[in-house]
Amino acid sequence: MASTVYFADMRAGHRENLFDKLERLLEEAGIDGIVDRGDLAALKVHFGEKGGHAFVRPPFLRRIVEAVKALGGRPFLTDSCTLYPGERKEAVSALSCGIENGFAYAVVGAPLVMADGLRGQSARRVEIGGEFFQDVSIGLEILEADALIAVSHFKCHELTGFGGALKNLGMGCSSREGKLEMHSNVAPVVAEKFCTACAACLKACVHDAIAMVEGIAKIDPDKCAGCGRCITVCEEKAIQIQWNAEAPLVMKKMAEYAKGAVHGKQGKTLYVNFVTQISPACDCYGHSDAPIVADQGIAVSTDPVALDQACADLVNAAPGLPGTVLGDPAAAGADKFRAVYPHIDWEATLEQAEKIGLGSRRYELVKLEPKSPKGW
């Protein structure tokens, strides 16, 4: 059965601006059946890195916050710590980065809460009975929330081909341990040339998996639990993930983690994709490259698989923009994701997500009719 995806293009005017269209999309998609009075509603967003600018603009989040509040819900914005060292490696830095990028209470009208605690380890494992995982490690505040609204910037991604609702769920709602499970099959390793024997990793490891051997930190893979805490405390970036899981495997694992993120929330989830500033790489970078196609619009659905499929189709149907990583503008209908990342089968995530029952790749695109007469 085809799922419904509600879509609004970028057209706006004095009768209805883009924020108003977003509110109408939420109503059409049935947000009043998602959020009940008193619900703690998690709005899962990406706070962006310093230097980037393609993430969803905070004023749009405020309109979603206001829609939740109008239904009696109690919304909060949430994101998770990153696996890699950077501006969002733990809660203090991540929240500071989010506020500097505009996600402050004064702008969005809701508090910011880290989904996985101070250091990315506040989590609970939930049973999913998947092909790759029997259980997955999800940020505790995601699991504790009564309702979940995933607000995602749809763009290309260097590992998964594209990033949208499924990536926001699977990667964005997992703990640091979960991120490591998806990205790598073994424990991190120490790049000896960078190690200064500062012993910060020894203090951080609660599994007694790290020792100093001849002035160099060594990780015992048999003792390592894969929590990734040592990675974030290493100021020299000497502790590194072994990126040995092939992209399709990572994508399939991510789909299973997405299933864990919505655990216990049947009928209590909604997904909003901003198909705007469609950059060629993840928002985790400290820069945002030129978008590969023009802004398409905003899409909303209760089915994350159908939503991501519809957004991918919108991007591929659009003509490529000149002066981007595409090189010569790709023709309308060309596969933009493979044009940017030729060796990545971006459909693997969608296939696995559909296979495990997260949703359907079949969809009906319902376009929002304009409120104003034509020609204005």
Side-chain angles (χ1 to χ4, degrees):
M1 183 179 295
S3 297
T4 303
V5 177
Y6 299 91
F7 176 72
D9 61 26
M10 299 298 292
R11 294 299 305 274
H14 68 279
R15 293 178 183 269
E16 186 177 44
N17 60 39
L18 200 56
F19 297 99
D20 297 331
K21 292 175 83 170
L22 171 59
E23 186 173 342
R24 268 215 292 154
L25 281 173
L26 296 173
E27 293 171 356
E28 292 288 336
I31 190 174
D32 57 345
I34 304 294
V35 178
D36 295 318
R37 181 168 296 278
D39 276 357
L40 292 172
L43 274 60
K44 174 61 184 71
V45 300
H46 191 303
F47 291 148
E49 284 284 343
K50 291 180 183 178
H53 61 268
F55 49 82
V56 178
R57 292 181 177 89
F60 286 106
L61 272 299
R62 186 181 186 97
R63 187 56 72 97
I64 301 173
V65 164
E66 290 171 348
V68 171
K69 287 182 176 179
L71 294 169
R74 292 176 287 177
F76 64 94
L77 269 60
T78 189
D79 199 0
S80 62
C81 296
T82 57
L83 181 59
Y84 56 85
E87 295 294 340
R88 297 180 298 120
K89 65 182 181 180
E90 32 74 13
V92 175
S93 298
L95 294 176
S96 297
C97 181
I99 291 169
E100 290 181 30
N101 280 340
F103 295 95
Y105 189 96
V107 178
V108 299
L112 276 56
V113 178
M114 290 303 291
D116 51 357
L118 187 65
R119 296 185 182 274
Q121 308 204 65
S122 178
R124 185 167 68 231
R125 300 197 72 90
V126 296
E127 293 283 340
I128 61 163
E131 179 180 349
F132 301 97
F133 301 112
Q134 284 301 307
D135 53 67
V136 292
S137 179
I138 303 299
L140 189 59
E141 310 317 325
I142 294 292
L143 295 175
E144 290 291 330
D146 300 303
L148 174 63
I149 302 176
V151 183
S152 312
H153 172 221
F154 192 87
K155 69 282 182 185
C156 297
H157 193 277
E158 61 278 7
L159 181 63
T160 59
F162 76 87
L166 291 170
K167 187 171 187 300
N168 198 10
L169 287 175
M171 201 67 69
C173 293
S174 65
S175 67
R176 178 169 291 114
E177 179 183 10
K179 291 178 175 67
L180 194 59
E181 285 182 345
M182 284 179 273
H183 281 100
S184 180
N185 294 327
V186 295
V189 295
V190 177
E192 295 185 3
K193 63 180 180 179
F194 297 124
C195 182
T196 61
C198 70
C201 56
L202 273 71
K203 297 176 183 177
C205 183
V206 297
H207 305 288
D208 195 29
I210 305 177
M212 283 293 170
V213 180
E214 298 180 354
I216 299 293
K218 299 288 185 181
I219 299 175
D220 184 342
D222 294 329
K223 293 182 178 179
C224 179
C227 69
R229 188 170 184 173
C230 57
I231 297 171
T232 63
V233 301
C234 181
E235 295 293 338
E236 304 301 324
K237 300 182 181 180
I239 301 179
Q240 302 172 356
I241 305 160
Q242 298 192 67
W243 301 100
N244 60 335
E246 295 182 357
L249 178 57
V250 175
M251 294 154 74
K252 291 175 181 179
K253 287 179 177 181
M254 187 176 71
E256 295 198 356
Y257 255 84
K259 184 176 182 179
V262 299
H263 176 79
K265 290 185 173 57
Q266 185 175 3
K268 300 290 287 182
T269 57
L270 188 65
Y271 309 96
V272 183
N273 276 6
F274 282 76
V275 196
T276 57
Q277 291 188 274
I278 304 151
S279 49
C282 183
D283 291 340
C284 292
Y285 286 104
H287 67 277
S288 300
D289 198 1
I292 60 171
V293 301
D295 290 354
Q296 298 300 298
I298 308 170
V300 183
S301 182
T302 55
D303 183 336
V305 183
L307 180 64
D308 277 356
Q309 181 69 68
C311 293
D313 290 344
L314 285 167
V315 171
N316 282 336
L321 292 175
T324 73
V325 296
L326 290 176
D328 293 333
D335 190 329
K336 308 301 188 301
F337 309 107
R338 283 189 174 86
V340 179
Y341 301 109
H343 303 297
I344 294 180
D345 177 15
W346 56 269
E347 294 180 289
T349 305
L350 295 165
E351 291 169 356
Q352 184 71 9
E354 184 177 51
K355 178 180 178 181
I356 62 178
L358 260 181
S360 171
R361 294 182 68 182
R362 296 179 56 204
Y363 65 90
E364 177 189 7
L365 193 68
V366 177
K367 297 184 178 180
L368 207 65
E369 293 296 327
K371 278 192 173 182
S372 305
K374 293 181 179 179
W376 47 272

